[in-house]
Amino acid sequence: MKLKEIRSMICDRLKKAGIESCEYECWVFLDWLLSVTRADYYLNPEREISGESMRILEEMLIKREGHYPLQYLMGDCEFMGYSFHVDERVLIPRQDTECLVEEVIHFIENRSREGEREDRIRVLDLCTGSGCIGISIKLLCPDVDVVLSDLSRDAIDLAAGNARKLGAPVTLLQGDLYDALDNLPLEDRSFDLIVSNPPYIPTGVLKDLMPEVRDHEPPMALDGREDGLMYYRRITEGARRHLKEGGMLFYEIGADQAEAVGDLMQCHGFTEICVRKDLAGLDRIICGRLS
Ligand code: GLN
């Protein structure tokens, strides 16, 4: 089959399957499975491709037509410029979450500039999943100590693989939110900064998510229980025990959760509460200082 025929075949089939980003994904398929970049394609769209690579292409295309997420098919996902391994054990890192990491990094850099600190800044990433938040923070700010935790043993195993692959020396702990810290020496259980992108979709809304998410991403990484706020409640309530004085809490939130999460934070002694928007202009990040 000629490259140009393959390209229109992929694009048509993805479009028929209802995949909106079919144009973009078509280029991804060509590059990933046939090693044909956009430039290669335009240099010689008449090139014939056959054999094993066409068989694999067909196999992957069938899965994608069934709305299996592209990132799980490829086995990795780019986040903050790093390549994270992903599979069905963890949520696929979202671009919006990069805004959360940027806010945290901005804070750490300002804090480091404020003057000589004797102790290292300690960061806790709760509900770490693939590890994308905590590992990126460690890679971009190597002088901070980062602890990652998740309830899922599978997620911790996968995050450990990512930390190893990307060369990020972090501490990984399995357990239910702060309970995971029981495995650390007492003096290591307090932090300057807690960051989390917890599950925040109300249970009743899960069934309306796109099939890629609803049918393939781990429900425990999405389900924020009845009102979607269960993890914000539990993390905010427990924060005082694990944040140093003046410590910061950073969350990713759903677009309509800023007020509710802001109120929760205020109730539990947080001040200087700030909400930031994502690239689409929706409320996405909230942070506050424990006073
Ligand atoms: N912290 C991970 C991420 O942001 C996982 C989040 C989750 O499982 N809710 O991708």
Side-chain angles (χ1 to χ4, degrees):
M1 214 170 168
K2 286 188 170 46
L3 265 182
K4 64 178 189 195
E5 292 159 358
I6 299 175
R7 183 185 158 211
S8 57
M9 184 257 306
I10 300 176
C11 208
D12 286 351
R13 283 175 58 178
L14 292 179
K15 197 174 194 163
K16 276 206 192 83
I19 290 161
E20 267 176 40
S21 49
C22 54
E23 283 283 344
Y24 160 77
E25 290 199 20
C26 180
W27 291 117
V28 174
F29 267 84
L30 290 181
D31 190 5
W32 168 42
L33 297 169
L34 306 179
S35 303
V36 171
T37 63
R38 209 184 270 238
D40 298 333
Y41 175 87
Y42 284 114
L43 273 176
N44 190 4
E46 305 290 331
R47 199 173 118 202
E48 285 283 342
I49 308 271
S50 59
E52 181 64 4
S53 43
M54 284 305 286
R55 194 192 59 71
I56 298 175
L57 174 72
E58 179 60 25
E59 195 182 308
M60 295 302 158
L61 202 49
I62 290 173
K63 288 193 180 164
R64 188 66 191 107
E65 285 175 307
H67 290 262
Y68 194 74
L70 183 63
Q71 294 88 341
Y72 288 158
L73 272 184
M74 297 179 72
D76 51 47
C77 172
E78 196 177 299
F79 184 83
M80 297 300 293
Y82 302 109
S83 173
F84 284 83
H85 169 66
V86 289
D87 60 34
E88 287 192 49
R89 291 176 287 176
V90 294
L91 191 85
I92 296 166
R94 306 295 201 266
Q95 221 183 347
D96 292 334
T97 308
E98 294 184 340
C99 302
L100 175 64
V101 173
E102 278 163 10
E103 285 293 326
V104 169
I105 289 180
H106 184 70
F107 175 83
I108 293 173
E109 283 172 350
N110 280 344
R111 178 82 177 260
S112 311
R113 263 198 297 273
E114 271 166 22
E116 288 297 298
R117 285 174 56 102
E118 282 177 12
D119 49 336
R120 287 161 73 90
I121 295 179
R122 289 179 56 74
V123 174
L124 172 63
D125 171 14
L126 291 172
C127 310
T128 195
S130 62
C132 63
I133 297 176
I135 293 173
S136 300
I137 293 171
K138 179 66 190 176
L139 291 169
L140 293 162
C141 305
D143 288 339
V144 302
D145 287 334
V146 182
V147 176
L148 318 181
S149 91
D150 203 287
L151 178 58
S152 156
R153 165 52 57 195
D154 279 347
I156 287 295
D157 290 346
L158 185 144
N162 277 327
R164 215 175 308 120
K165 177 175 90 134
L166 293 165
V170 294
T171 304
L172 288 129
L173 303 169
Q174 185 272 328
D176 187 10
L177 300 180
Y178 301 109
D179 290 353
L181 304 175
D182 293 350
N183 301 316
L184 289 178
L186 215 57
E187 64 276 15
D188 289 345
R189 294 184 202 169
S190 71
F191 296 85
D192 300 273
L193 196 156
I194 297 174
V195 56
S196 185
N197 173 24
Y200 59 70
I201 315 278
T203 309
V205 176
L206 291 174
K207 61 175 185 341
D208 304 327
L209 298 174
M210 54 200 279
E212 278 82 348
V213 182
R214 185 192 61 209
D215 301 338
H216 301 288
E217 295 200 82
M220 77 182 274
L222 299 164
D223 189 350
R225 308 300 160 90
E226 201 179 337
D227 62 357
L229 300 172
M230 199 264 277
Y231 291 94
Y232 298 113
R233 227 170 258 125
R234 292 187 55 206
I235 295 172
T236 310
E237 276 164 18
R240 186 171 290 278
R241 279 186 35 225
H242 296 286
L243 269 181
K244 296 180 188 168
E245 210 189 310
M248 295 289 296
L249 177 58
F250 284 80
Y251 283 129
E252 176 171 326
I253 49 170
D256 56 355
Q257 293 173 325
E259 197 180 325
V261 177
D263 286 351
L264 261 173
M265 291 173 74
Q266 215 167 11
C267 278
H268 287 89
F270 284 87
T271 55
E272 299 173 37
I273 295 170
C274 288
V275 177
R276 301 249 187 278
K277 295 191 186 300
D278 62 18
L279 298 172
L282 303 170
D283 289 345
R284 187 63 61 194
I285 316 295
I286 191 163
C287 64
R289 184 186 297 279
L290 187 67
S291 51

